[in-house]
Amino acid sequence: MSFSIGEIFRMTVFGESHGVCVGVTVEGVPAGTEIDRRSIQKELDKRRPGQSSITTQRKESDRVEVLSGVSEGKADGGPVTMLIRNEDVDSSYYEDIRYTPRPGHADHTAMIKYGEDHDHRGGGFFSGRMTAAYVMAGAIAKHILKERGIETMAHVTQIGDVKVQKELSHEDIQENVYRNDLRCADTDMIDDLREEVVKAKREGDSIGGMIEARIIGLPAGIGEPLFDSMESVLSRYMFSIPAVKGVDFGAGMEAATMRGAEHNDAFVMDGDKIVTETNNAGGILGGISSGMPVVMKVAIKPTPSISIPQRTVDVETKEECELKVRGRHDPCIAIRAVPVVECLSACAVLDLVFRGEIDG
Amino acid sequence: MSFSIGEIFRMTVFGESHGVCVGVTVEGVPAGTEIDRRSIQKELDKRRPGQSSITTQRKESDRVEVLSGVSEGKADGGPVTMLIRNEDVDSSYYEDIRYTPRPGHADHTAMIKYGEDHDHRGGGFFSGRMTAAYVMAGAIAKHILKERGIETMAHVTQIGDVKVQKELSHEDIQENVYRNDLRCADTDMIDDLREEVVKAKREGDSIGGMIEARIIGLPAGIGEPLFDSMESVLSRYMFSIPAVKGVDFGAGMEAATMRGAEHNDAFVMDGDKIVTETNNAGGILGGISSGMPVVMKVAIKPTPSISIPQRTVDVETKEECELKVRGRHDPCIAIRAVPVVECLSACAVLDLVFRGEIDG
Amino acid sequence: MSFSIGEIFRMTVFGESHGVCVGVTVEGVPAGTEIDRRSIQKELDKRRPGQSSITTQRKESDRVEVLSGVSEGKADGGPVTMLIRNEDVDSSYYEDIRYTPRPGHADHTAMIKYGEDHDHRGGGFFSGRMTAAYVMAGAIAKHILKERGIETMAHVTQIGDVKVQKELSHEDIQENVYRNDLRCADTDMIDDLREEVVKAKREGDSIGGMIEARIIGLPAGIGEPLFDSMESVLSRYMFSIPAVKGVDFGAGMEAATMRGAEHNDAFVMDGDKIVTETNNAGGILGGISSGMPVVMKVAIKPTPSISIPQRTVDVETKEECELKVRGRHDPCIAIRAVPVVECLSACAVLDLVFRGEIDG
Amino acid sequence: MSFSIGEIFRMTVFGESHGVCVGVTVEGVPAGTEIDRRSIQKELDKRRPGQSSITTQRKESDRVEVLSGVSEGKADGGPVTMLIRNEDVDSSYYEDIRYTPRPGHADHTAMIKYGEDHDHRGGGFFSGRMTAAYVMAGAIAKHILKERGIETMAHVTQIGDVKVQKELSHEDIQENVYRNDLRCADTDMIDDLREEVVKAKREGDSIGGMIEARIIGLPAGIGEPLFDSMESVLSRYMFSIPAVKGVDFGAGMEAATMRGAEHNDAFVMDGDKIVTETNNAGGILGGISSGMPVVMKVAIKPTPSISIPQRTVDVETKEECELKVRGRHDPCIAIRAVPVVECLSACAVLDLVFRGEIDG
C-alpha cells in the first residue's frame, strides 16, 4: 500500500498540505512503551517551518495531538494515531497553477493519475508536509531503538558545490546538527553552506544538497536476504521522501570505480569483537547488518518551486507559457529533510529489528 | 517477506547456489498470457555463466523447467513455478572458508543470522545465482509489458574509471547490448572496458561497474505516492540484487549540486503531447511516471571473491589470518548483472502497471 | 496486521472505547468518489447506542469527523480518515473489574497479552465500539458498490429460540430492517423476538442471535481461489466483529448432513442467463461468486456483560470470587451488529471486486 | 494474495491436479529447524488417495520431493519448497464436461474468471488435490509447534445424520483417528458412519460431514485483536479448503440460542492456574487464546462429483442438458479432509505464535 509501510512497526499516513491535518497511525508499538508527547513534539520542532531566514516562512505550530493508543503515558498495544493541524494555509497562490503544472513538481502527474479535480493546493498529499507524519512515527521508533542501544542520525554534507570534507565522528553529528540552521555537523563549514543557500535564494532560485545518515549500535544480523535487505528497505523508505533522487550505502556510487582489493573490508579483531578495518560496505553485507555503523547517503534535489520564470504548458489550451511560482518555499529543502531522514531511518530499522526477533 | 515481492505480480524465490535448484513462483500472471519456454530460456541465456573469457567458468546449462501455471502454452491463472537445476557444483572450495568469512561477502553476517551450521557453500541463498530466479520472472513480466508497448533495457556505462560518454539512443542499447560480452551499447568503448576487466582479472582482482536502465513506453500516471513511489519500488528491487550499492534516478546524485532552474524540466509541447524538454527527473515526478523515459543508474561493487590474499578472522579461534579465495568468479559482476537489472525492472514496473489499472 | 485489512480497499482502525475517539483510515478510495458526510452519518446512526429500550443506554452522538482524503465532497485519492469522539464515558464501572476479569470478555486475555497496565476501561480496543470504525469504512464501500449495482444487507433471523421461518425477499429486508428496533425483516416476528430480549434483560441476563447477510447484484467471477476465496475473506472480516462465534454460507453447517444430489445446485437457464435452481452454495463455487446472491449466516453470542452474579477469579490474590457486572450493556448485541455485518460485508466484497478488475 | 498466506510462517502453493505437480514454498522456517522428509511423508500418507474402499481409487504415491531450504536435514533459513508429482492422471473424463459445468463444482465460475481455455482437467488449481500442499507445509508447522508443546488434531464427528455423541478426550482423538478409515475417534461409531458412506456410494451419491479440530497446549495470549483474531485467521485458512461451508468455535452456531449466564465460562482456579469451568468460548476470548483448548467445527459439503444424473447447461449452446459425472471420486470427502484440517490449523496457529513472539 502506498500510504502504509512496515511489516511489524507499520505506519499509515494521511492528510494533505492544505486540508485539515497531516497524521499517522502507527501499529506495532509494544504495549507498555512510554509515549511522551513532548519528545514527539521535540522531533517535530526540528522540521517545523519558519524557524530561520533560510527556510520557508509558512508559520505552523505543528503541535502534535495524540488520538489513540496511549493510556496514562504508555502505549496500550493498539494503533497510535497522531496528527498536526494545518493552520497557516494560503491556497490563493494555487489558483495560478491550476492548469499550468509547475516544472519539477507532481502537479502534472497527479492531474493525470487523479483527474483534473484533484486537490492541487499545496501539493495535496504530494507535499513535503507529509513528512511530518514520518517524524511523528519516527519519534516513537527512535525511543524504542534507543532502549536497545541503537541510534539514527543525519546531517547535511553538501549543498551545491560546497562539500564537507572533514571526517566527522558520531559525537560531532549528535552534538552539532540541531545547533545550527544548516543542519551541518562540521561547524567550520556552516558559513560556506549558508552562502550557497542565500545566493540561490537571492536569485529566486533553489539548490540541492546531500544528507548522510548513520545508524549506530545496530547489532550484526539485522536485515533480511534479498527483497528485504537493509538496503532494499532503507532505500524504499528514503525514496518516499519527496525530492530524494539517489540513495547509496558505504562507498556507494564510488564502488563502480573500485577494485575488489580496495573495496573489500578486511575482517580484524577489535578486542574480542570481529569488526572490519574499513567500512566501504556501509555496515551491510548480504543485506544484513555487520555490526559496523550503517552509512547511507541521500541526494536531495533543489526545491522545484522557484520564482525565476519557467516554461510550462497550459493543460487546457495546450499552449506553452511562462510561470513564476509564488508561495513560501524553502530555498534548500535538504536542510529540513535532515530530521526526516533521521526519523524515517529509525522506522525502517525498527521494523527490521522487530522482525529479527523472530527469525531465530 | 524477504523472499517475496510484488503486490499483484508477485514473485517468491527459492533455492540455493549449491543445493538442488534455484526457482521462482510467480503469482498474478493473467490467465491466457502466452508463456513460451523458449523466450524464458533466451533471457536466462543472457545471464548464463561460462559464456566468455571474462565471466565465471562455472558451467551451467540453466535450462528452465516449468512446473505449474501453464497449460497448452498459456497461463492458467495460477502461480507459475519455474526452476533451473544446479549442475556444476564444486563445494570443495568452500571448506576453506567455513570459519574464515570472505571479506565483502555475506559469510559472516549469514553465520550470525542463521547460525554456524548455515549452508555456506556457494553463498547459499545469498549467491548471485539467485538472480536467475529474477530473470525467469522477469521474462514473463517483459512479455506482458511488451504487449502494452512498454520495454525495459539496461547496459554497462562504466567499469572502473572507463566511462561511456556518448549519448546513446534506446535503439543503440537494444541493438548492441547482447551482441558483445561487455553488455555495452557504445561499440567504440568495448575494447577499453574489456581492458579494465582483463587487467583486474590478471592481477587476481575484480572491478566494479555502473549500469544504466531505461523504461520506455511507460504512460504517464504509473506509480503511487510516497511509499510506493516509482523510485521506492524500483530501488527496493534493485537493492535485492547482491552487489548493488547505489541507485539513483535522472540527474540522481548530481541533483545535490544543482540549482532548481537547472534541474527542473520545462514542460513543452511535442505535437499534441505534453513532454519535458530535459529529463533530469528521470521520468518520475512525485513518484509517478511522467511519460518520459524512466532512467535509473545502478552501482555494482567489485566481486568480493578475489584471489589476492586478504585479511580475515577465524571465527572459531578469533585469530586474524590470511585468506586467498579460490573458486570460479566473475572479475566484473556488473556485466552479468545487466539482464538481471533489465528483468527485475520489468517485474517492478509491471506490478505498478497492474496496480494502476485499479486506481482510477 | 491486526488493525488493518484489505489489499486494495484497505482500512486501518484505531481508538479505544474510553479514550479520545474511535476512527478509521481507508486507503484505496478512487479519486473522484463522492464522499457525503451525511450518508456516512446515516450508517453510523443505525448502530448508534441509546436508541431503544432494548439497547445500551450509553449516550453517544457518534458524529463523524472527516479529517483527510476529501476535497470539495470528493475523494482526492489519498487515505480517508474519519472518527467519532467518545462523549459519554463513565469509567468508574471499570475499577471493579481491574483484577477480576469478566467471564466471556477479553479482560483476562488482554491482561496476559498486554500486561496488567493495559487500559481495561470499556474494553479498550476490544470493545464493540470499534465496530463504529467498520461502519464508517463500510459506508464508503457501500456507496462505491451501489454504483456498480451491488448491495449488501443484513437482518436478524433468530434470537434465542425464536426463529424467523418465512422466506424473505431482498425487498423485505431492505424495506423493513431499519424500521424496527429488532432489525428484523419479518414484521410478524418482531414482537416475539422482542419478548426474548426483554425477558433476558429483565432477568439481568443477555441473549444471543443469528444474523443473515446477503450480497446481491454481484456478478459471477468475483473472489479468488484458495486463501482469498469469498468465504475465506468474508469470514475473516466477520470474525473481527467481537461476539461472532460462527459463520457459514448457503446451506452452511447443514451441508454436513446432506447428500450431493440434494446439495448440488442444478444449472438452468433463466432467459439467456445461466443460474442455479437452488442456492445451497450460497452464491459461491470454488471460492468465486456464481452470480447468485451470496448468503451468509453469522452467529452472535449473548453479550457477556450481565448483572447476574458470576464466578470469576481475582488475578492478584488468585482467589475465586463473585462478580456482578455493572455498566450499560446491550441485552442482545446481535441487534446492533446488523449494520456492522452489512457494512463490513461491503468492505470485504469491494476489496475483492477491485482485485477482480486486474485479474483479467 | 490468493495462493499465499501467513505473515511470518508463510506458504505459497502452486500446481494443478492434472499438471506436473502440486507444491508449496514455505517461508519463515527458522534456520536449524529439523526437516525430516519421512515425517512430511507420514502426514501426506494420511490424506493419500486410494487407501480404502470408501475413498477415491486414484492411485498416487504422493512422494514428497524437497527442492530447497534444507541442508543436511536442517532448515537453512531460506524458503522450503516441496512438491509431489501427479502420476495417475486420466484427463479423458474431463472432455465430457468441457462445456457442461458440473453442479456444485468450480467449473463454471472458473470459466468466467479465467476464460474458456482455462485448464478444467481435474479441477486445475481448484482441485482438492491442492490440499496436499497444505499438508506438506503443515507437517513442518506441526513439528515446530510440538517443540513448543502445542498440538493440533482433527476428527470426523458426523456424517450425514450419524453423529458422534460421546465426549472424547484429546487422547481418544490422538490414538484412534488414523487407525480407522473413517477418521473417527469414537471407535463405537465407526460402523454406523461407514454405513452412511457406503449407502451414498452405492446410490452413486455422496455425503457431507463435520470435522472437529482442537488445538491443545496453546498458551494464553496468542492471537491478535480484530482482523487477526484467532477466529479470523483460523476461519480464513479453513475456508481455503475446497468443500468447507461453515466454521464455528466453541458453542459456535449454538451461541445464537444461548443466554449469557449459560454461555459465559466462569473463571476458576485449577491449582495455581486460572482456567474456565466450561469452554463455550472454544478457547478464545477477544480473539486471543485463553489457555483452554481451542475447539473448532468445520462443515464439509458432500463431494459434488456424483454419478447420479444431474441437470446442467451447455455453455456454448445455452441449452439445458443432463450430466452424469464420471471419474474416481470420494463419496465422503470429509474423511480425507481430516489431516488437512489438522495440518492447516497448525499453519495458522504457528503464524500467530511467531507473531506473538514480537508483540511483547
Side-chain angles (χ1 to χ4, degrees), chain C residues 267 274, chain D residues 93-103 105 107-108 111 116 120 310-325:
Chain C
F267 288 108
I274 299 171
Chain D
Y93 298 136
Y94 291 90
E95 267 321 290
D96 301 3
I97 57 160
R98 182 149 203 152
Y99 302 106
T100 50
R102 293 168 293 173
H105 263 287
D107 298 344
H108 190 229
M111 218 181 271
E116 297 200 2
H120 57 289
Q310 299 177 84
R311 291 165 60 205
T312 185
V313 162
D314 185 308
V315 296
E316 294 274 280
T317 63
K318 299 256 175 167
E319 273 169 21
E320 298 187 0
C321 57
E322 196 170 80
L323 178 76
K324 215 177 129 180
V325 181

Side-chain angles (χ1 to χ4, degrees), chain D residues 263-331:
Chain D
H263 185 272
N264 283 350
D265 302 307
F267 288 107
V268 293
M269 294 305 303
D270 177 14
D272 63 347
K273 223 185 127 192
I274 299 170
V275 299
T276 60
E277 205 167 33
T278 48
N279 191 15
N280 289 313
I284 308 170
L285 286 168
I288 295 169
S289 64
S290 70
M292 297 296 289
V294 171
V295 181
M296 172 172 69
K297 287 200 300 298
V298 179
I300 312 280
K301 73 177 185 184
T303 320
S305 293
I306 53 176
S307 56
I308 294 176
Q310 299 177 84
R311 291 165 60 205
T312 185
V313 162
D314 185 308
V315 296
E316 294 274 280
T317 63
K318 299 256 175 167
E319 273 169 21
E320 298 187 0
C321 57
E322 196 170 80
L323 178 76
K324 215 177 129 180
V325 181
R326 290 191 297 146
R328 304 156 299 180
H329 302 284
D330 287 272

